[in-house]
């Protein structure tokens, strides 16, 4: 199962959550405000409704999503603005903090490299923007790749990116899904 196909299915899950019209907690309707654990459960449920996943996509602590024998995937959300339309504080730290044991995407890469099992490993970032973007996510994503590759010596396969515009939420109008296979040839500084 190719990572590109999984990313397309993740985007379809996000669009399904967005279009259902149910708000998360007391936030405005749309997929943008969902927290990572709640969103991952919905993504796993959606994937399990697709025959090619054989009802095997499960959420765990590490990795966030496991497709047994195929993929171990860690997720992060990049959301520069909150439900209230104000810029979120420290929103980019979840991707860039370059230390083992941290909850950043860099830390997740290190966890994936230490993970037992035969599954391929991947990092997926779900990012939200205005339309047009008030804060473009591309510099953050480029920075993640630079730190992972050039500072931490983590080997990433080329970036996969897909996008969907016209989401329900008035702030999170665009979702961008980024993914990288984390290659096991990495020599991570621990």
């Amino acid at each position: 199962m190719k990572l590109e196909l999984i990313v397309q299915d993740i985007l379809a899950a996000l669009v399904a959550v967005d279009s259902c019209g149910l708000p998360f907690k007391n936030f405005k309707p749309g997929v943008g405000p969902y927290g990572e654990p709640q969103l991952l459960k919905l993504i796993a449920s959606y994937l399990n409704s697709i025959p090619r996943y054989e009802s095997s996509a499960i959420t765990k602590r590490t990795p966030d999503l496991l497709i047994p024998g195929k993929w171990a995937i860690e997720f992060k959300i990049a959301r520069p603005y909150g439900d209230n339309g104000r810029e979120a504080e420290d929103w980019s730290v979840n991707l860039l903090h370059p230390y083992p044991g941290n909850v950043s995407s860099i830390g997740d890469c290190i966890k994936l490299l230490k993970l037992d099992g035969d599954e391929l490993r991947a990092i997926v970032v779900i990012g939200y923007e205005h339309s047009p973007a008030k804060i473009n996510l591309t510099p953050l994503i480029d920075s993640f790749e630079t730190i992972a590759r050039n500072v931490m010596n983590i080997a990433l396969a080329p970036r996969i990116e897909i996008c969907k515009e016209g989401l329900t939420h008035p702030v999170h109008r665009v979702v961008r899904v980024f993914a990288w296979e984390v290659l096991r040839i990495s020599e991570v500084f621990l």
Side-chain angles (χ1 to χ4, degrees), residues 130-146:
H130 289 84
S131 182
K134 290 184 179 180
I135 294 180
N136 186 322
L137 294 175
T138 302
L140 175 68
I141 298 302
D142 291 346
S143 297
F144 162 73
E145 290 176 336
T146 298

Side-chain angles (χ1 to χ4, degrees), residues 3-190:
L3 184 57
E4 292 87 352
L5 179 61
I6 296 170
V7 171
Q8 290 170 3
D9 292 337
I10 290 168
L11 180 63
L14 296 170
V15 170
V17 171
D18 187 71
S19 63
C20 79
L22 295 174
F24 175 63
K25 294 187 178 180
N26 294 324
F27 298 111
K28 295 175 184 109
V31 69
Y34 277 81
E36 186 179 303
Q38 298 81 12
L39 188 57
L40 286 175
K41 286 180 184 175
L42 294 170
I43 289 170
S45 177
Y46 183 89
L47 294 179
N48 286 330
S49 72
I50 301 171
R52 69 178 151 267
Y53 292 94
E54 302 169 2
S55 298
S56 65
I58 53 175
T59 56
K60 299 180 67 169
R61 183 155 176 88
T62 301
D64 290 331
L65 183 73
L66 178 66
I67 303 168
K70 296 178 181 160
W71 286 95
I73 305 173
E74 287 286 332
F75 284 79
K76 283 295 174 266
I77 295 175
R79 190 174 24 228
Y81 286 87
D83 181 70
N84 59 8
R86 286 186 245 149
E87 189 174 344
E89 190 173 318
D90 300 325
W91 65 272
S92 61
V93 173
N94 279 343
L95 264 71
L96 303 179
H97 201 71
Y99 299 99
N102 187 276
V103 296
S104 71
S105 289
I106 302 288
D108 285 349
C109 287
I110 295 167
K111 282 193 300 188
L112 285 170
L113 289 169
K114 292 180 177 181
L115 192 65
D116 288 331
D118 295 331
E119 290 85 7
L120 299 170
R121 284 107 164 106
I123 294 289
V124 172
V125 174
I126 299 168
Y128 299 100
E129 294 176 336
H130 289 84
S131 182
K134 290 184 179 180
I135 294 180
N136 186 322
L137 294 175
T138 302
L140 175 68
I141 298 302
D142 291 346
S143 297
F144 162 73
E145 290 176 336
T146 298
I147 293 170
R149 289 180 176 134
N150 300 332
V151 176
M152 300 303 293
N153 293 327
I154 297 169
L156 299 174
R159 178 193 314 170
I160 298 166
E161 178 181 352
I162 56 176
C163 174
K164 174 71 173 154
E165 297 183 13
L167 299 180
T168 302
H169 196 277
V171 175
H172 311 121
R173 298 286 297 154
V174 176
V175 63
R176 295 173 67 187
V177 181
F178 307 90
W180 303 262
E181 182 179 352
V182 179
L183 305 171
R184 294 187 214 185
I185 58 170
S186 301
E187 295 178 30
V188 179
F189 297 114
L190 302 178

